[in-house]
Amino acid sequence: MRLFKNLLIFHFKQLTKSYLYIGLNLFMIVMLAARIFLHSNEEFDYFTHGDFVGEMMLIVQAVMLLIIVFFYRFLSDEFNSGTNSLSGDSSFLMFAKLSALLFIHLTYMLFFITIQIGLIFLYFFASDIPISSFYTQTILFIVVYWFFPFILSFFIGALIALLFGKNKISFVFIILIWLLIGPMNTTIFSSFYIHINSTDYKNLFYIGPFNIFQPYIEFIGYNMTSSSFLKVIFWIVISLILIALTFFKLVRTRLQKSILFLSCISLLLVNTYIYTSIFQKSQPTFHYAEKVKEIEYYKGNNYFIPLEQLQYDIQQYDIQLTSNEQITAKVDITLENVKSTNISFVLYHSYPVQKVTDSHGNLLPFVQKGDTVTINTDFNQSDGSLSFFYKVQDSFMIPISENYLYLPNYFSWIPTKAYHQPFALVNNFDENGFISLSMQNNKLIDYTLTYKGDLSIYTNLIKNKDGIYRGSVTGGITITGGQVSTQTINGEEIIYPNSWPDISNDWPIYKNVISKVHEKTIEIFHLPNVNLPNKYFLLNPTGEYNSFLSNDHLVIQHGTLLNISSAINEVPDLYVSALLWNSNERKVINYEQVQIFNSIASQFIKNELELESYSLISHWDGLNTVPETFSKKFDALTKEQQEHFLFVWYSEMHKLSTWSDTENLFKHI
């Protein structure tokens, strides 16, 4: 014990006197302070506080390399000086030295990491971000992606020193290891990692966030699971095993060799367990390969459900969601006016159906093909009920886990009556870009929701005393839970990401523009007057520009990095479709043309409301699939004629399959 205490004092003095070691940690603090200063003095007011810590990963990568080099040189000098000559106690002495040095390194890392966390929290406080789970998640991110890589650096440096001593080839291995598993390797070797899906074993070879430029997605949180922590531990244990193997040349007795051998076997068993656990948790939303998989799926599955399989009406949903490591759903659907024995529902293809039963619990034959579930009901009357049992799984398109839940009103997370799929591929603005197709309808449906899980959820339904949510809704229900905050401003409830600053002053400005766009859209397209609700889900984990309106709430997907009051000019882009296309009863043939129509209509409304000043003529530059003949004819119209044409275009959209059909509409102007 006295030896260990003396070694602690000795190594503490050595590390404290090291300009390189102390300088590295001070360098991290200085660079962090510089990033905070730059963020605080940006020209625009950005809501990107979640990405802030990810911007430091380049610095973390550099510091990790220098820590490896420092401990390699420190230990190789000691081993080379003869302090660890092959004496009887050399293995114990080496173990004591490494343990003492590791303890001091851990202490210093904790000290400096605590200072860095304090600086980040001061920045968050100054940015008016309320205290929430966002703060604790930020601490975990720093611990997993900053602290533990620096601990791994110690073991790598010690291992290289033990294996190669002062041989110059050591630096080759240091660089190779640093490049292969360092926090930045997904950026350095992006062409390799971009094709890896979220459950591929190759994920083991990076210990940083998958994408350092997007380590955080609002509502979901950081790109971090228990697997992120276990990967670093896996490499630390690998280093320990290799270090233990080098001890065999120092031990002399059979007992010492047996203890060392058993230690290696034990560590190997521990790492085997860690390896199998690493791939049990994933976040598909952060992986580009998951998007590619969805693109390939919808390229080969573009279909409509035959109308004869939609001869029924839905009267009521009774939904039971259970979250316990995985999310399962039991959905009872009360049907009426059933006129066919084979009926179909739309249910997202990532949710495998386990069984379907009738009201008596009898199993019914069904076929789940893609996003469609077709059932042989064999009803003897026009009314009846069905029960669906299925798993609700996380995916790139819709994020769902025991830690976050995004089940919006427009999406087929419950079996839905619709003639089309939930998503379509379009390439007007982005090659292989997705758009969400609303599954909402105009029928008033009764909903009952029971949720069993630890996650706090938010929904538009009203919670009764028995803990069950109930309500009658037109346009579907929304259930969310995760990294969110909620505020009531002027009698309106807003659910928004908890990484945002307080929106008390920004929301009235934003809502005022929504109201103006709402009124102008109704006026231009002669829509029935619809009142805006008093509940808003201002969340966008999918990165879209869209909105979906039910009679009691509005889901706003505003993919902006700016403060919402600084992005009011974008409101028409995301809100117009909420009034025009939020019903699956609106038949559409050409989704790409609908998207272009929305863009043109939005720009027209921006000009009308003076939200943007540039003309529609310049707007054509971003619409790469619009024929030049069409744009010239449209630009030649007066403002009143353009408004009338937009109304005619919208009214006839269900008949239009080509741009030639659309250009024929100019005859009506």
Side-chain angles (χ1 to χ4, degrees):
M1 190 66 187
R2 181 178 297 177
L3 172 63
F4 186 72
K5 181 179 179 181
N6 291 334
L7 287 170
L8 283 176
I9 296 171
F10 174 72
H11 287 309
F12 175 76
K13 290 179 179 179
Q14 284 189 304
L15 292 189
T16 304
K17 292 177 182 179
S18 171
Y19 291 113
L20 176 60
Y21 184 78
I22 299 299
L24 284 173
N25 288 286
L26 292 176
F27 174 70
M28 277 283 294
I29 293 174
V30 170
M31 293 304 297
L32 179 61
R35 293 302 308 163
I36 291 173
F37 176 79
L38 291 173
H39 269 258
S40 302
N41 291 276
E42 287 178 319
E43 181 179 358
F44 299 102
D45 187 9
Y46 288 102
F47 274 11
T48 56
H49 300 89
D51 292 333
F52 175 76
V53 289
E55 297 172 5
M56 288 291 293
M57 293 311 300
L58 178 61
I59 307 301
V60 172
Q61 176 85 356
V63 171
M64 181 181 176
L65 173 63
L66 293 174
I67 290 177
I68 294 172
V69 172
F70 170 79
F71 281 113
Y72 159 71
R73 292 184 61 185
F74 184 91
L75 291 170
S76 62
D77 286 342
E78 284 209 4
F79 298 152
N80 194 59
S81 67
T83 58
N84 283 294
S85 58
L86 300 179
S87 62
D89 294 330
S90 59
S91 61
F92 175 76
L93 181 59
M94 184 186 295
F95 177 78
K97 278 180 171 289
L98 290 175
S99 299
L101 192 57
L102 175 61
F103 182 84
I104 299 301
H105 179 53
L106 282 169
T107 304
Y108 263 121
M109 288 299 100
L110 284 171
F111 174 73
F112 284 109
I113 288 292
T114 301
I115 293 175
Q116 292 163 37
I117 290 173
L119 285 174
I120 291 170
F121 281 9
L122 285 174
Y123 168 55
F124 288 168
F125 286 141
S127 301
D128 203 22
I129 300 177
I131 294 177
S132 66
S133 58
F134 175 60
Y135 284 77
T136 56
Q137 272 225 335
T138 301
I139 293 175
L140 290 174
F141 181 94
I142 292 172
V143 169
V144 171
Y145 291 133
W146 297 9
F147 177 76
F148 275 102
F150 293 159
I151 303 307
L152 175 61
S153 300
F154 167 83
F155 288 102
I156 295 173
L159 176 63
I160 299 296
L162 286 166
L163 288 175
F164 301 105
K166 295 185 71 66
N167 195 316
K168 291 182 179 179
I169 198 174
S170 303
F171 290 99
V172 175
F173 282 92
I174 287 173
I175 295 295
L176 284 176
I177 294 172
W178 174 70
L179 287 174
L180 288 175
I181 64 171
M184 281 280 293
N185 64 351
T186 53
T187 302
I188 298 170
F189 305 111
S190 59
S191 59
F192 170 76
Y193 282 103
I194 200 171
H195 301 294
I196 296 176
N197 63 43
S198 57
T199 56
D200 196 302
Y201 76 92
K202 300 183 188 71
N203 286 292
L204 186 64
F205 294 97
Y206 67 89
I207 59 172
F210 188 78
N211 181 357
I212 66 168
F213 303 108
Q214 192 185 34
Y216 185 88
I217 294 179
E218 293 172 351
F219 169 81
I220 295 174
Y222 288 104
N223 179 197
M224 178 180 61
T225 65
S226 58
S227 298
S228 308
F229 168 73
L230 290 174
K231 281 192 292 185
V232 190
I233 299 300
F234 175 87
W235 289 111
I236 289 176
V237 174
I238 288 289
S239 303
L240 275 171
I241 293 172
L242 294 175
I243 289 172
L245 290 175
T246 64
F247 274 51
F248 273 101
K249 67 181 180 181
L250 303 177
V251 297
R252 290 289 181 265
T253 67
R254 180 175 295 180
L255 177 62
Q256 289 176 327
K257 290 183 178 180
S258 298
I259 292 173
L260 200 56
F261 177 75
L262 290 174
S263 298
C264 290
I265 293 299
S266 299
L267 288 172
L268 189 60
L269 291 174
V270 168
N271 236 20
T272 301
Y273 174 76
I274 290 174
Y275 179 84
T276 58
S277 302
I278 286 173
F279 307 103
Q280 294 179 7
K281 300 287 184 182
S282 64
Q283 291 176 301
T285 310
F286 288 93
H287 287 256
Y288 181 77
E290 300 291 344
K291 178 180 180 179
V292 172
K293 187 165 66 174
E294 290 288 345
I295 288 172
E296 292 303 315
Y297 173 82
Y298 281 104
K299 276 183 177 179
N301 291 275
N302 185 17
Y303 57 86
F304 297 98
I305 297 176
L307 294 179
E308 58 268 20
Q309 295 178 7
L310 299 173
Q311 301 300 310
Y312 64 90
D313 292 316
I314 297 174
Q315 184 180 32
Q316 180 177 338
Y317 284 103
D318 188 345
I319 305 163
Q320 298 178 40
L321 290 177
T322 303
S323 178
N324 184 14
E325 293 189 356
Q326 69 176 19
I327 298 176
T328 58
K330 177 180 180 290
V331 179
D332 300 326
I333 305 177
T334 303
L335 302 174
E336 58 184 2
N337 302 322
V338 181
K339 300 177 182 178
S340 175
T341 55
N342 286 320
I343 59 176
S344 292
F345 298 83
V346 177
L347 181 68
Y348 184 46
H349 62 267
S350 287
Y351 303 162
V353 177
Q354 297 162 312
K355 63 179 179 178
V356 180
T357 63
D358 61 17
S359 57
H360 303 291
N362 300 317
L363 293 174
L364 295 175
F366 71 91
V367 175
Q368 184 175 21
K369 182 179 179 182
D371 295 313
T372 304
V373 181
T374 303
I375 303 156
N376 187 341
T377 61
D378 199 23
F379 285 161
N380 295 321
Q381 52 190 18
S382 62
D383 299 339
S385 64
L386 299 173
S387 296
F388 289 76
F389 299 79
Y390 55 95
K391 295 178 182 179
V392 183
Q393 299 181 152
D394 202 358
S395 69
F396 177 85
M397 307 300 291
I398 298 292
I400 293 167
S401 77
E402 65 270 22
N403 298 316
Y404 46 83
L405 195 64
Y406 186 64
L407 301 171
N409 53 3
Y410 66 87
F411 178 61
S412 54
W413 59 272
I414 53 177
T416 307
K417 178 184 177 181
Y419 74 95
H420 55 74
Q421 302 168 118
F423 300 102
L425 282 174
V426 295
N427 61 2
N428 293 319
F429 313 104
D430 174 31
E431 185 179 359
N432 294 326
F434 281 102
I435 60 170
S436 296
L437 305 180
S438 176
M439 294 291 161
Q440 300 169 277
N441 60 59
N442 298 323
K443 186 178 180 350
L444 188 68
I445 297 176
D446 297 326
Y447 292 88
T448 300
L449 169 66
T450 304
Y451 174 76
K452 296 179 182 179
D454 297 328
L455 189 66
S456 296
I457 65 169
Y458 301 87
T459 179
N460 56 301
L461 301 179
I462 298 173
K463 188 176 183 179
N464 296 333
K465 293 180 180 179
D466 55 3
I468 298 175
Y469 300 84
R470 291 184 172 87
S472 298
V473 183
T474 299
I477 67 170
T478 295
I479 306 171
T480 65
Q483 301 298 310
V484 299
S485 295
T486 180
Q487 276 197 66
T488 300
I489 304 172
N490 299 330
E492 297 169 338
E493 184 181 3
I494 304 99
I495 296 97
Y496 62 97
N498 64 5
S499 61
W500 285 10
D502 183 10
I503 63 170
S504 300
N505 296 325
D506 300 298
W507 173 252
I509 299 171
Y510 190 77
K511 171 59 188 312
N512 181 51
V513 176
I514 290 178
S515 299
K516 290 180 178 179
V517 174
H518 178 83
E519 293 170 2
K520 178 57 69 173
T521 305
I522 288 175
E523 175 189 329
I524 292 174
F525 297 100
H526 310 297
L527 303 174
N529 191 21
V530 178
N531 294 324
L532 281 167
N534 58 8
K535 193 161 194 170
Y536 297 82
F537 292 83
L538 192 52
L539 302 169
N540 189 28
T542 61
E544 293 189 70
Y545 275 80
N546 221 329
S547 294
F548 299 91
L549 181 65
S550 294
N551 67 326
D552 64 349
H553 73 288
L554 175 65
V555 174
I556 303 174
Q557 296 178 324
H558 194 168
T560 180
L561 302 177
L562 295 171
N563 180 321
I564 56 173
S565 63
S566 301
I568 55 175
N569 62 307
E570 298 174 353
V571 169
D573 294 318
L574 59 97
Y575 184 69
V576 166
S577 61
L579 288 173
L580 300 183
W581 309 106
N582 272 195
S583 171
N584 61 30
E585 297 170 9
R586 285 279 310 180
K587 300 296 188 296
V588 173
I589 301 174
N590 190 327
Y591 292 115
E592 291 183 353
Q593 192 168 142
V594 169
Q595 194 183 33
I596 290 173
F597 166 84
N598 288 344
S599 180
I600 296 172
S602 299
Q603 187 57 48
F604 184 87
I605 292 173
K606 288 179 189 180
N607 292 345
E608 287 289 286
L609 299 178
E610 298 182 348
L611 296 175
E612 282 184 355
S613 58
Y614 64 83
S615 68
L616 275 169
I617 296 175
S618 63
H619 187 62
W620 300 116
D621 294 338
L623 306 178
N624 53 33
T625 61
V626 179
E628 185 178 353
T629 53
F630 177 87
S631 59
K632 286 182 177 179
K633 289 179 181 178
F634 188 88
D635 289 335
L637 301 176
T638 64
K639 185 181 73 173
E640 290 74 17
Q641 289 175 324
Q642 287 179 347
E643 179 176 327
H644 181 58
F645 179 81
L646 288 172
F647 168 70
V648 173
W649 190 5
Y650 171 71
S651 302
E652 299 295 316
M653 188 67 77
H654 62 288
K655 302 176 183 177
L656 306 176
S657 59
T658 66
W659 281 105
S660 177
D661 296 335
T662 308
E663 289 189 46
N664 288 332
L665 297 178
F666 284 106
K667 299 175 182 178
H668 301 284
I669 306 303

